[in-house]
Amino acid sequence: MRRMVWSLMSVAALALAGCNGSNAPDQGNEGNAAAVKADSVSGTITVRGDNAVSPEAKLVVNLVDVSSTDQAGAAPLASKSIAPVQFPQSFELTFNPADVNPADLYVVKTELTDGERHYKMALQAPVLTKGAPNQVSIELVPEQTAAEKELAEFQSLQKQIGGMKISDGTKLEKDVSRAWQVFRQDGQVKFIRGRADYGDKGFTSTDYAYKDGKPWVVVQQKKASQDAKPSSIERASWDKDGNLVLKQVVSGGNTSASLGDDQAASLKQQAQDILKLATGGKGK
């Protein structure tokens, strides 16, 4: 009986040893997998809203150390440029693990440029250290273009003209009948709303905005008659140095940056002429 008990105990011990032995390689494999992951970060990038970008769009993905201001100008640990881009866009960045300081903070930074449109990250994407993962999901958000910022500022000014000092005038010329309202603030002309009736040749309704006495934004609606719907809308704006920033044409429900330089120059000249006419040459 005693021999049988010892035999059973020996079988159990061997079985347990076999189980422990079979687990050891798996643990080693997991450790090796972690080591492999430690030399790369990966993820997926999406764009909020419409994911469509042009074939000229370029995406740059960087792995950078942001733990101190000393690292601000440092080269990224890894970088990749992707073009053409199709969202959702996957990426992988490989690097030398020896370059990673466990005490530092690392993030994935992405830059997407599509013509004048730039996109920024909705949230920061930390990786590698301080418990951060090696795989991330990044969402990009479109920023306003310079032209869109100008138009938004112009539209904000439009909403304020009701509180400004208002004067008006008219002038009958051979081929056109003109009327206008001038809006002043702090003794300066900020806005002029003009109407020009060319008879059977059409009608224009134009808003002119000024900064420091110079044309800033012009939005002109072209119509067959005063009561007709606009057949087209032209928009132009200039920065403080006189450079053309906004150059849009709205026609058939579509907006495009197709306003030509000659058309923009004509709108600017109109803004200067109506300012001179409405202020008696004073410009204010």
Side-chain angles (χ1 to χ4, degrees):
M1 178 64 70
R2 181 175 297 174
R3 290 178 180 177
M4 184 177 294
V5 171
W6 279 109
S7 297
L8 291 173
M9 291 177 64
S10 298
V11 170
L14 289 172
L16 181 60
C19 291
N20 288 340
S22 64
N23 284 340
D26 290 342
Q27 291 175 351
N29 289 339
E30 290 178 0
N32 290 335
V36 170
K37 288 183 179 179
D39 66 359
S40 69
V41 295
S42 60
T44 303
I45 302 171
T46 58
V47 174
R48 182 178 297 177
D50 186 2
N51 284 348
V53 294
S54 76
E56 288 73 34
K58 181 179 179 181
L59 178 68
V60 177
V61 187
N62 291 320
L63 173 62
V64 296
D65 186 345
V66 294
S67 46
S68 70
T69 55
D70 293 340
Q71 299 292 340
L77 270 71
S79 182
K80 178 175 288 187
S81 295
I82 302 173
V85 189
Q86 186 172 2
F87 293 101
Q89 178 68 58
S90 60
F91 72 91
E92 183 176 19
L93 299 174
T94 59
F95 55 91
N96 183 357
D99 293 335
V100 177
N101 183 347
D104 286 354
L105 176 64
Y106 298 85
V107 301
V108 174
K109 286 189 175 182
T110 62
E111 299 176 5
L112 174 63
T113 304
D114 188 8
E116 295 183 354
R117 178 81 63 194
H118 293 264
Y119 297 76
K120 65 179 181 180
M121 295 174 61
L123 297 171
Q124 196 175 55
V127 288
L128 294 177
T129 59
K130 304 182 185 298
N134 285 20
Q135 190 169 34
V136 292
S137 295
I138 296 173
E139 183 184 41
L140 298 178
V141 180
E143 294 183 311
Q144 282 186 318
T145 64
E148 288 171 342
K149 290 177 182 178
E150 293 285 283
L151 187 58
E153 189 177 347
F154 169 77
Q155 291 169 340
S156 177
L157 177 64
Q158 278 183 314
K159 297 176 182 179
Q160 301 172 32
I161 63 176
M164 298 181 187
K165 184 178 179 181
I166 305 174
S167 61
D168 53 41
T170 61
K171 184 177 181 180
L172 181 60
E173 301 174 0
K174 179 181 178 181
D175 299 320
V176 58
S177 175
R178 301 185 186 278
W180 59 83
Q181 286 182 305
V182 181
F183 300 85
R184 292 179 173 86
Q185 188 177 58
D186 300 327
Q188 297 290 325
V189 174
K190 297 293 185 180
F191 202 92
I192 295 179
R193 178 157 286 166
R195 305 287 185 267
D197 190 344
Y198 297 90
D200 59 2
K201 293 184 179 180
F203 185 94
T204 60
S205 174
T206 313
D207 287 344
Y208 306 92
Y210 301 84
K211 283 186 177 180
D212 301 322
K214 297 179 181 179
W216 166 44
V217 179
V218 178
V219 176
Q220 184 168 88
Q221 300 181 40
K222 294 185 176 181
K223 309 177 181 182
S225 63
Q226 181 173 352
D227 297 325
K229 293 183 178 180
S231 58
S232 67
I233 302 173
E234 296 179 350
R235 299 168 176 157
S237 74
W238 302 265
D239 62 19
K240 63 180 181 179
D241 297 320
N243 300 311
L244 184 63
V245 177
L246 175 66
K247 45 183 179 180
Q248 289 183 348
V249 176
V250 182
S251 181
N254 298 316
T255 302
S256 64
S258 59
L259 186 71
D261 290 343
D262 291 344
Q263 293 169 292
S266 176
L267 292 177
K268 189 173 186 178
Q269 186 62 54
Q270 291 179 45
Q272 293 169 337
D273 292 343
I274 193 69
L275 178 63
K276 183 178 180 179
L277 177 62
T279 63
K282 298 178 181 178
K284 62 179 181 178

